[in-house]
Amino acid sequence: GNTLISLGLLLQKRSHRTRATSQKIERRCCGIPLDAYVFSPQWLGGLATFLAGHACCWIGLAVGAQMVMSCLNCWCIVVTILLAPALFNETVSFFRVLAVLDLVVGCIWVTLSGPRRYHEFTVERFQLNVA
């Protein structure tokens, strides 16, 4: 899910950069500019990818251990560092690569050492824990 979220945002950023360098032709319909970035197929594809990623994350949060799932949110940084050089010709420093490797090792460590047993969290269980 987080991979799709990052990819969607990167696609939208690429759409903005592409529009900034292209010629602008003013087209309007009922006073609404049709050449606005929100009508760009690339930007809309990025939005759809972003929303699909969030849907996957919601499903994952519903079925996974929250301790593990919250740690995996940093995966967006890893995906961005991997894809940004290819999409935007950006350079990544050696220290950023080391930081990303640290994040990957941390994600693997938390996933492997996270809780193995799950309990259904009901109202009765909540009341027992609070009381």
Side-chain angles (χ1 to χ4, degrees), residues 19 41 59 70 90 112:
R19 286 185 50 78
I59 293 168
S70 64
E90 294 179 358
L112 293 177

Side-chain angles (χ1 to χ4, degrees), residues 29-111:
C29 178
C30 304
I32 301 170
L34 295 178
D35 59 344
Y37 69 91
V38 294
F39 297 116
S40 163
Q42 189 177 19
W43 191 88
L44 289 171
L47 179 64
T49 306
F50 175 78
L51 293 175
H54 274 291
C56 292
C57 284
W58 290 334
I59 293 168
L61 287 171
V63 298
Q66 297 302 307
M67 186 175 109
V68 175
M69 294 302 186
S70 64
C71 181
L72 295 177
N73 283 329
C74 69
W75 185 253
C76 292
I77 298 170
V78 176
V79 173
T80 302
I81 290 289
L82 293 175
L83 294 180
L87 291 174
F88 304 114
N89 295 324
E90 294 179 358
T91 58
V92 179
S93 70
F94 176 72
F95 292 107
R96 287 188 181 160
V97 171
L98 286 179
V100 166
L101 289 175
D102 188 35
L103 289 173
V104 170
V105 169
C107 286
I108 292 170
W109 186 11
V110 169
T111 302

